[in-house]
Amino acid sequence: MSDKKERTEISSLGEFGLINKLKQHFTLEQKSSIKGIDDDAAIIQPHEGEQMVVSTDMLMENVHFDLAFHPLKHLGYKAVTCNISDIAAMNAIPTQITVALALSSRFSVEAIEELYQGIHKACQDYKVDLIGGDTTSSRSGLAICITAIGQAPAQRIVCRNTAQKGDVICVSGDLGGAYVGLQILNREKQVYQAAPLAQPKLDGYSYILERYLKPEARMDLVHELAALDIVPTSMIDISDGLSSELLHICKQSKLGAVIFEENIPLAAQTIETATNDLNMSVLTCALNGGDDYELLFTIKQSDYEKLKNHPDIHFIGYMREAESGVSLATRAGQNITINAQGWQHF
Ligand code: ADP
Ligand code: MG
């Protein structure tokens, strides 16, 4: 939480005072945003001929984030990112968000303003308008629930259930970094709890820490695919790990798949940290770790030529008939069946 000297109690402003303070930095930029914060509901005018997509994600303190090491500004940014990533996974353009908060009196007005600084930065980066929300009290911690709205022409919207046999499986960026970053943050938190004067050892981990604390939704790729005139045949964002997301595409498309270990993109810092600091298989981190917010998608073989030299898209396998199952071909030449090991929330 904020260590600033100033501490204004939320009760001194009241719910409406707080909302007024938080909203003052936000303006409406999207043509489709007709009315934002102030009324009982916001008004959106969809672009003609387009479909709208809507997605909600809820983040709970001590389930999805730990304020011991998650700066509130980054948390606000990440909460928006998770939602924008879902809109990106539909191959749509995000336009608006709403933000609902449950707050305990532990939080000062300054702390919530920090959270909203991150939300504001994300709104600018992703070009979305904050058009409303809700604010309520909580007895147990912070909850942030964001709804994102986006639009696209119907023929560009991409679902999970439309992959075809023979399609090439693509993944953006690199995987497992956020999970490895989180393990380092948890390790340093435990060291600190045991010896509060110990300095956290976070030097040399900046890439993976940023992967966890400040991930980016891949809107850049949604725009690039549009510019290349490619519509993926299916798409999903990687919030729960590659295994779990690939299984979603396979199950919904009623197909199997094979992916190749040697093609799974990994960053050098993820490999080094998993291997040397955590004594973990980096492959397990990539397959089962969460929070990467990269895109997993399939393309027709005929679109491969257009994408094959893209520096940030990796071709990891192909779709096949359901009877052949979903498997990983390892470097050692084994075939391992992929099963659901995504984040188990319960
Ligand atoms: P109601 O009582 O009708 O639910 P509220 O008093 O909760 O209305 O909200 C007033 C206005 O402020 C609405 O436009 C609502 O969308 C907006 N709002 C409330 N809380 C937030 C928040 N945390 N972030 C952004 N907008 C908010
Ligand atoms: Mg309300």
Side-chain angles (χ1 to χ4, degrees):
M1 258 209 270
S2 171
D3 287 332
K4 283 196 192 136
K5 315 111 238 157
E6 265 179 279
R7 183 186 160 95
T8 312
E9 299 299 329
I10 293 173
S11 56
S12 73
L13 285 182
E15 182 191 331
F16 301 118
L18 177 68
I19 296 168
N20 275 330
K21 200 169 176 59
L22 295 175
K23 78 174 187 194
Q24 64 189 358
H25 301 292
F26 292 84
T27 52
L28 298 183
E29 305 294 334
Q30 288 282 346
K31 237 173 75 190
S32 56
S33 302
I34 307 300
K35 185 160 199 129
I37 298 172
D38 269 345
D39 219 306
D40 293 307
I43 305 174
I44 303 168
Q45 172 77 57
H47 302 310
E48 204 175 325
E50 299 205 344
Q51 289 184 336
M52 301 181 75
V53 295
V54 181
S55 176
T56 299
D57 258 310
M58 180 141 153
L59 300 180
M60 289 295 301
E61 184 175 355
N62 297 331
V63 178
H64 302 101
F65 59 89
D66 186 337
L67 289 176
F69 51 68
H70 216 141
L72 280 162
K73 194 172 164 182
H74 285 8
L75 182 64
Y77 194 96
K78 181 168 175 172
V80 179
T81 290
C82 304
N83 281 273
I84 299 299
S85 182
D86 283 320
I87 303 297
M90 301 301 289
N91 205 33
I93 308 299
T95 45
Q96 288 90 12
I97 59 166
T98 64
V99 176
L101 297 177
L103 303 166
S104 70
S105 54
R106 186 158 66 89
F107 294 92
S108 63
V109 171
E110 288 77 15
I112 302 309
E113 284 187 290
E114 255 179 70
L115 181 78
Y116 266 69
Q117 277 170 20
I119 292 175
H120 189 254
K121 173 82 168 64
C123 284
Q124 288 183 320
D125 286 1
Y126 299 121
K127 300 186 173 62
V128 295
D129 292 341
L130 174 68
I131 55 160
D134 197 24
T135 310
T136 183
S137 55
S138 151
R139 294 203 184 148
S140 58
L142 176 63
I144 310 168
C145 182
I146 297 190
T147 295
I149 296 164
Q151 297 188 33
Q155 67 276 14
R156 292 206 60 86
I157 291 179
V158 177
C159 298
R160 300 174 176 184
N161 64 348
T162 39
Q164 302 290 315
K165 197 174 128 185
D167 285 351
V168 182
I169 303 172
C170 311
V171 65
S172 64
D174 56 76
L175 303 180
Y179 177 80
V180 173
L182 174 60
Q183 303 315 305
I184 293 297
L185 288 164
N186 275 323
R187 181 184 80 181
E188 293 308 313
K189 180 186 169 187
Q190 277 170 13
V191 171
Y192 176 81
Q193 282 173 336
L197 293 177
Q199 284 295 316
K201 291 196 193 66
L202 297 173
D203 285 351
Y205 298 116
S206 55
Y207 180 72
I208 54 173
L209 296 182
E210 185 151 325
R211 293 292 288 167
Y212 179 74
L213 294 173
K214 193 176 173 289
E216 295 284 347
R218 298 307 306 261
M219 279 312 301
D220 57 329
L221 291 179
V222 173
H223 292 293
E224 281 182 51
L225 290 171
L228 291 167
D229 203 21
I230 295 174
V231 179
T233 53
S234 69
M235 187 148 66
I236 189 168
D237 70 319
I238 306 186
S239 50
D240 293 343
L242 178 61
S243 296
S244 150
E245 316 303 1
L246 181 62
L247 287 168
H248 282 305
I249 286 187
C250 287
K251 191 168 177 221
Q252 294 213 21
S253 298
K254 300 190 172 65
L255 288 173
V258 59
I259 58 171
F260 298 89
E261 179 185 2
E262 61 191 339
N263 295 348
I264 296 177
L266 302 165
Q269 201 172 80
T270 307
I271 300 173
E272 277 160 32
T273 312
T275 315
N276 302 337
D277 296 60
L278 304 173
N279 198 16
M280 283 184 78
S281 146
V282 70
L283 183 62
T284 306
C285 299
L287 289 174
N288 302 335
D291 272 332
D292 284 318
Y293 300 106
E294 294 295 340
L295 291 173
L296 174 69
F297 57 100
T298 55
I299 55 168
K300 293 186 293 231
Q301 285 183 19
S302 55
D303 280 332
Y304 172 73
E305 275 298 311
K306 290 196 224 169
L307 271 189
K308 70 173 187 201
N309 293 321
H310 195 290
D312 209 28
I313 295 178
H314 309 274
F315 308 95
I316 62 168
Y318 58 87
M319 302 301 293
R320 60 185 181 184
E321 57 289 329
E323 297 68 40
S324 306
V326 185
S327 62
L328 172 79
T330 68
R331 282 204 169 84
Q334 286 178 303
N335 273 299
I336 299 173
T337 299
I338 294 180
N339 47 36
Q341 286 252 325
W343 284 129
Q344 302 288 323
H345 292 290
F346 299 102

